[in-house]
């Protein structure tokens, strides 16, 4: 199986009329979204990165190395698990789980990190930086930095450092320096600001491994391409298991890299309904992180996209029980898919995610990440309204070991 | 003749002072920099996520926003300044989101109405000019571009296309308030820029003291000082204007006389 199918497809589809898989345009725009809203200091580097990515896409050796690492280091393909007990319990559509939680480091994040560190190597960069929210991307980045022997600095909001201690320790064990960011709300957004500040001062030798399908072009595109292995595999696996495509895909969306990875290979399959799940936090009338449902278009962190903001364009603080969804923006391709109506985005609250977390754990023996529990909650809402011969694929984007302290706290259990 | 032409045509290098709007008693601080001899005023529009700024200006943004400063307040400060000082150019400097959230045309019209001469937007590079550039130019407001040590010769024409007012040379690859660049590297860069444009070239980032300012003024048309003034606002609070005036006077004397001493 050619794991780089999607990167190749992207080129071959470029001439196909009416395809939803041809974005972004030459300037990095997905409709009105995306773009390259960065300081002039970074602009030449961003252009270099784009050139290098085009060269890598055309280089069979790059693709061979990517495929090799995904298979032998990450452990791909990840299984597509028929969650029979969950299906029976809900009494509706058949639910399959795409088991990204079984990847090395425990989430989908590693797929993208492998791709980007290979680009860093091609560009001769000497140092790796990254931002992280839950710590999953930080761990994945620290992991590939260790594998390639490059020094690595991870920027993480001080609030997230406190609530994700096990991941902080993992990163340090892997040899990374973890910088606790004290500015702003001290979460993912602020970690990204600080990573960009470091980057702008060290552009000559530093590669910034952005963890989600957002940021300045070409990041949203290349992160999507590296993550599209999820959807490419799922497509083959469901055809093998069921002899047909699913009726629906469901994935959680913070920045949205696992979601776009699952969705993208299916975008032109108009019979496949696609649902992205946003974090509604304490509820849409209270503190939340649902950028599409509760925000509007604006410019932040290098791209134009839906943002939580006030009438003056000041960014407002996001909230989600899941650190990985605690971000006031979303990847630009999701904003575009939302506007053209190809993907439906639904909110799920902290409480709903907590309930689904426990339900999946007990029914399937799978502890999902809190991020993934949001997608499970949406599946629980939707599956009973569908018939038993219909099929849903849910992206189980990561495992929940990192969240047990948060869960214990929410359930009033002292560990 | 535009206010920029006048400010950079006084026969000596210009002092460009940056302060964050709404941080401290802004009208009084503006009076202080004017009394101290500033030639161009840069007014920072506060933003929640100032990605290109170091700790000093980050904190100033936060102080201003925590006081409840709105975009309307920023324009009112500019409008009042214009009424008091008809000749001195005013530049709004900030980030794309607050500038474009109500539409570029709205922002450009507000600038024109408030007597703002130019706009610097940190995160709209030449590639994204359509986001703001056409609206500003149509309103007769200069879109001031940034050039940096990473802006190579191939890129420079794109950076200059549509640029107005003056060219802002960011002398270090980094954030505001960081290390100062060496005079020799700045001189080389300014010469390269001046060969490509008729616009005056002002140099900023990391310039804090009169001595540093004098060194840069020898090789540039203008010197931008920001974080050093912001630090005074942070330290002295209500008493800041007096101290701001003292530093501005020293900076102005050093900059205005830099080329005479050289000659």
């Amino acid at each position: 199986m050619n794991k780089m199918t999607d990167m190749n497809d992207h080129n071959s589809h470029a001439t196909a009329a009416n395809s939803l898989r041809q974005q972004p345009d030459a300037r990095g725009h997905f409709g009105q979204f995306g773009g390259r809203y960065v300081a002039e200091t970074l602009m030449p580097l961003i252009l270099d990165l784009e050139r290098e990515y085009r060269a890598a896409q055309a280089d069979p050796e790059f693709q061979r190395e990517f495929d090799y690492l995904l298979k032998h280091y990450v452990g791909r393909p990840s299984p597509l698990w028929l969650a029979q007990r969950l299906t029976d319990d809900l009494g509706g559509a058949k639910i399959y789980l795409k088991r990204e939680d079984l990847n090395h480091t425990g989430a989908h994040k590693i797929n993208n990190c492998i791709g980007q560190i290979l680009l860093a190597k091609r560009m001769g960069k000497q140092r790796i930086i990254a931002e992280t929210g839950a710590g999953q991307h930080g761990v994945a980045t620290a992991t590939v930095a260790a594998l390639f022997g490059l020094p690595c600095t991870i920027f993480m909001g001080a609030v997230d450092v406190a609530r994700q201690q096990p991941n902080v320790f993992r990163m340090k064990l892997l040899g990374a320096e973890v910088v606790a960011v004290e500015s702003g709300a001290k979460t993912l957004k602020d970690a990204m600001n600080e990573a960009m500040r470091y980057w702008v001062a060290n552009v000559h030798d530093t590669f910034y491994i952005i963890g989600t399908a957002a940021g300045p072009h070409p990041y949203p595109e290349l992160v999507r391409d590296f993550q599209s292995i999820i959807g490419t595999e799922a497509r083959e696996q469901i055809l093998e298991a069921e002899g047909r495509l699913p009726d629906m895909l469901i994935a959680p969306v913070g920045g949205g890299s696992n979601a776009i990875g699952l969705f993208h290979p299916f975008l032109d399959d108009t019979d496949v309904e696609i649902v992205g799940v946003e974090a509604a936090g304490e509820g849409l009338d209270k503190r939340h992180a649902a950028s599409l449902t509760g925000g509007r278009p604006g410019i932040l962190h290098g791209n134009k996209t839906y943002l939580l903001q006030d009438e003056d364009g000041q960014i407002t603080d996001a909230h989600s029980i899941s650190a990985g969804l605690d971000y006031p923006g979303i990847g630009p391709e999701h904003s575009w898919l939302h506007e053209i109506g190809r993907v439906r985005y639904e909110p799920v609250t902290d409480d709903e995610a907590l309930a689904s977390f426990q339900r999946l754990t007990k029914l399937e023996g799978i502890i999902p990440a809190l991020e993934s529990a949001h997608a499970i909650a949406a599946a629980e809402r939707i599956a009973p309204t569908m018939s038993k011969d219909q099929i849903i694929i849910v992206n189980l984007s990561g495992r929940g070991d990192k969240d047990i302290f948060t869960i214990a706290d929410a359930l009033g259990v002292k560990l | 003749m535009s206010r920029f032409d006048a400010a950079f045509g006084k026969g000596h290098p210009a002092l460009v002072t940056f302060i964050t709007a709404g941080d401290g008693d802004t009208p009084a601080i503006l009076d202080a920099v004017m009394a101290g001899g500033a030639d161009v005023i840069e007014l920072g529009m506060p933003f929640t996520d100032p990605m290109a700024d170091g700790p000093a200006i980050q904190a100033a943004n936060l102080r201003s926003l925590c006081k409840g400063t709105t975009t309307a307040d920023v324009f009112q400060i500019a409008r009042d300044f214009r009424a008091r000082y008809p000749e001195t150019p005013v530049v709004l400097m900030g980030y794309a989101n607050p500038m474009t959230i109500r539409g570029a045309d709205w922002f450009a019209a507000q600038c024109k109405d408030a007597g703002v001469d130019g706009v610097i937007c940190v995160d709209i590079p030449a590639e994204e000019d359509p986001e703001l550039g056409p609206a500003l130019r149509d309103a007769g407001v200069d879109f001031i571009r940034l050039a940096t040590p990473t802006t190579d010769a191939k890129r420079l024409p794109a950076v200059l296309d549509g640029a107005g007012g003056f060219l802002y040379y960011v002398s270090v690859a980094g954030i505001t308030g960081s290390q100062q660049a060496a005079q020799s590297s700045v001189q080389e860069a300014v010469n390269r820029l001046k060969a490509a444009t008729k616009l005056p070239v002002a140099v900023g980032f990391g310039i804090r003291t009169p001595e540093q300012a004098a060194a840069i003024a020898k090789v540039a048309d203008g010197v931008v000082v920001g974080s050093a003034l912001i630090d005074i606002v942070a330290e002295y609070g209500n008493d800041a204007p007096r101290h701001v005036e003292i530093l501005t006077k020293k900076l102005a004397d050093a900059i205005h006389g830099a080329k005479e001493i050289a000659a």
Side-chain angles (χ1 to χ4, degrees):
Chain A
M1 186 172 70
N2 178 9
K3 299 227 172 80
M4 298 296 284
T5 311
D6 189 70
M7 292 174 69
N8 296 329
D9 274 7
H10 182 62
N11 292 334
S12 63
H13 274 67
T15 50
N18 303 321
S19 172
L20 299 178
R21 305 180 66 224
Q22 309 170 36
Q23 303 282 330
D25 66 16
R27 293 174 57 231
H29 288 88
F30 303 84
Q32 65 155 321
F33 302 106
R36 290 174 286 212
Y37 298 89
V38 295
E40 170 62 21
T41 308
L42 291 176
M43 204 53 219
L45 182 83
I46 295 284
L47 294 171
D48 271 356
L49 176 61
E50 188 184 358
R51 269 190 298 274
E52 202 62 50
Y53 182 54
R54 298 289 170 239
Q57 282 177 304
D59 179 358
E61 180 52 28
F62 181 87
Q63 304 199 10
R64 194 200 61 74
E65 202 171 355
F66 182 68
D67 289 351
Y68 178 88
L69 287 164
L70 285 190
K71 181 174 178 187
H72 298 285
Y73 189 70
V74 176
R76 303 204 70 93
S78 67
L80 186 68
W81 170 249
L82 171 59
Q84 191 63 58
R85 299 231 310 138
L86 180 65
T87 299
D88 292 346
D89 195 56
L90 296 171
K94 211 185 257 190
I95 298 175
Y96 281 88
L97 304 176
K98 181 60 174 162
R99 299 290 308 275
E100 292 299 301
D101 60 313
L102 294 177
N103 292 339
H104 180 41
T105 71
H108 68 288
K109 293 289 187 186
I110 189 87
N111 304 330
N112 165 50
C113 290
I114 296 278
Q116 288 200 46
I117 200 146
L118 289 175
L119 283 176
K121 201 177 78 169
R122 278 182 80 98
M123 295 176 82
K125 299 295 181 185
Q126 301 299 314
R127 166 171 285 280
I128 299 297
I129 60 167
E131 85 295 340
T132 196
Q136 291 305 93
H137 176 59
V139 168
T141 301
T143 298
V144 297
L147 180 65
F148 283 79
L150 291 174
C152 171
T153 303
I154 305 292
F155 296 89
M156 188 170 185
V159 166
D160 291 334
V161 168
R163 63 178 163 177
Q164 301 287 347
Q165 274 298 317
N167 271 345
V168 173
F169 187 57
R170 272 185 204 107
M171 288 184 263
K172 288 181 177 168
L173 285 174
L174 289 160
E177 177 196 6
V178 180
V179 176
V181 176
E182 297 285 350
S183 60
K186 306 176 190 183
T187 61
L188 181 53
K189 163 177 86 91
D190 313 289
M192 199 150 181
N193 288 336
E194 209 56 37
M196 290 197 131
R197 288 182 188 117
Y198 181 93
W199 194 26
V200 83
N202 296 277
V203 277
H204 56 288
D205 69 347
T206 300
F207 191 98
Y208 182 7
I209 298 187
I210 292 183
T212 193
H217 176 67
Y219 279 101
E221 178 188 342
L222 66 87
V223 173
R224 174 200 69 201
D225 291 347
F226 294 140
Q227 291 293 3
S228 288
I229 184 67
I230 300 170
T232 303
E233 282 178 7
R235 199 185 160 87
E236 287 182 21
Q237 289 165 321
I238 200 71
L239 286 173
E240 194 185 319
E242 296 280 351
R244 68 177 185 90
L245 293 178
D247 298 282
M248 184 181 285
L249 306 173
I250 302 178
V253 181
S257 69
N258 85 81
I260 202 71
L262 176 64
F263 298 168
H264 196 257
F266 292 92
L267 287 180
D268 286 337
D269 301 304
T270 45
D271 291 339
V272 179
E273 213 179 323
I274 306 182
V275 177
V277 183
E278 291 196 287
E282 297 165 349
L284 291 176
D285 54 341
K286 302 196 185 79
R287 298 188 307 155
H288 65 84
S291 321
L292 290 177
T293 314
R296 60 202 171 105
I299 297 166
L300 182 70
H301 292 154
N303 57 186
K304 182 187 272 192
T305 192
Y306 274 76
L307 300 169
L308 299 180
Q309 55 185 318
D310 70 12
E311 69 277 9
D312 271 349
Q314 305 296 350
I315 308 304
T316 51
D317 289 337
H319 165 79
S320 169
I321 189 170
S322 150
L325 303 181
D326 199 346
Y327 180 71
I330 185 168
E333 193 161 12
H334 287 292
S335 290
W336 176 69
L337 291 168
H338 168 69
E339 280 215 340
I340 65 168
R342 176 63 186 98
V343 178
R344 189 172 88 231
Y345 293 86
E346 292 196 359
V348 159
T349 64
D350 288 352
D351 289 346
E352 292 170 307
L354 267 171
S356 296
F357 176 97
Q358 296 171 80
R359 185 174 194 161
L360 187 74
T361 302
K362 288 191 174 127
L363 284 175
E364 295 288 338
I366 295 170
I367 301 178
L370 273 170
E371 292 78 11
S372 316
H374 282 73
I376 300 292
E380 290 179 359
R381 194 190 290 162
I382 297 167
T385 70
M386 294 166 70
S387 69
K388 291 187 177 184
D389 58 356
Q390 290 186 294
I391 300 166
I392 299 175
I393 296 178
V394 179
N395 204 9
L396 201 78
S397 52
R399 60 172 165 253
D401 305 46
K402 69 181 170 64
D403 293 315
I404 54 169
F405 297 100
T406 307
I407 301 286
D409 194 43
L411 299 178
V413 176
K414 198 137 182 92
L415 292 184
Chain B
M1 189 152 119
S2 77
R3 293 190 188 101
F4 286 122
D5 292 337
F8 285 98
K10 293 177 182 172
H12 59 67
L15 168 59
V16 183
T17 56
F18 173 95
I19 62 161
T20 299
D23 176 30
D25 182 351
T26 304
I29 295 165
L30 288 174
D31 287 341
V33 293
M34 290 304 293
D39 302 294
V40 178
I41 298 297
E42 270 184 28
L43 205 48
M45 290 183 71
F47 183 45
T48 41
D49 294 82
M51 278 161 290
D53 285 302
I57 296 179
Q58 283 178 48
N61 278 272
L62 209 59
R63 286 193 298 269
S64 175
L65 290 173
C66 286
K67 271 172 53 188
T69 305
T70 64
T71 298
D73 295 335
V74 175
F75 279 118
Q76 192 57 48
I77 289 168
R79 197 174 288 116
D80 292 346
F81 178 88
R82 175 56 63 235
R84 298 201 301 285
Y85 304 94
E87 309 297 333
T88 306
V90 172
V91 175
L92 287 188
M93 181 167 185
Y95 292 82
N97 204 44
M99 291 183 180
T100 57
I101 191 65
R102 292 182 175 89
D105 289 334
W106 180 88
F107 183 75
Q110 289 288 306
C111 285
K112 187 180 180 186
D113 176 65
V116 168
D117 302 277
V119 168
I120 300 174
C121 185
V122 174
D123 50 352
I124 296 188
E127 281 74 2
E128 301 293 352
D129 182 78
E131 199 65 47
L132 190 57
L136 290 176
R137 290 187 287 271
D138 286 353
V141 177
D142 284 316
F143 198 12
I144 295 161
R145 286 279 171 69
L146 302 153
T148 71
T150 60
T151 309
D152 56 26
K154 201 164 67 174
R155 227 185 117 57
L156 189 55
V159 170
L160 293 171
D161 184 26
F166 61 92
L167 187 62
Y168 188 136
Y169 179 62
V170 175
S171 61
V172 289
I175 52 179
T176 54
S178 46
Q179 292 282 320
Q180 191 208 3
Q183 187 196 24
S184 58
S185 74
V186 173
Q187 178 162 26
E188 199 184 328
V190 171
N191 288 343
R192 190 162 56 83
L193 297 174
K194 290 189 75 70
T197 181
K198 289 193 168 68
L199 293 173
V201 177
V203 177
F205 276 46
I207 302 163
R208 302 188 61 89
T209 67
E211 294 70 30
Q212 291 168 340
I216 298 298
K218 284 193 174 70
V219 300
D221 302 314
V223 178
V224 187
V225 179
S227 295
L229 296 169
I230 298 284
D231 282 344
I232 292 176
V233 177
E235 186 178 347
Y236 293 99
N238 289 338
D239 203 26
R242 192 164 60 87
H243 297 276
V244 165
E245 183 178 336
I246 293 167
L247 177 61
T248 307
K249 179 87 171 56
K250 288 179 185 163
L251 290 164
D253 288 347
I255 290 166
H256 294 164
K259 283 183 176 159
E260 289 163 28
I261 297 163

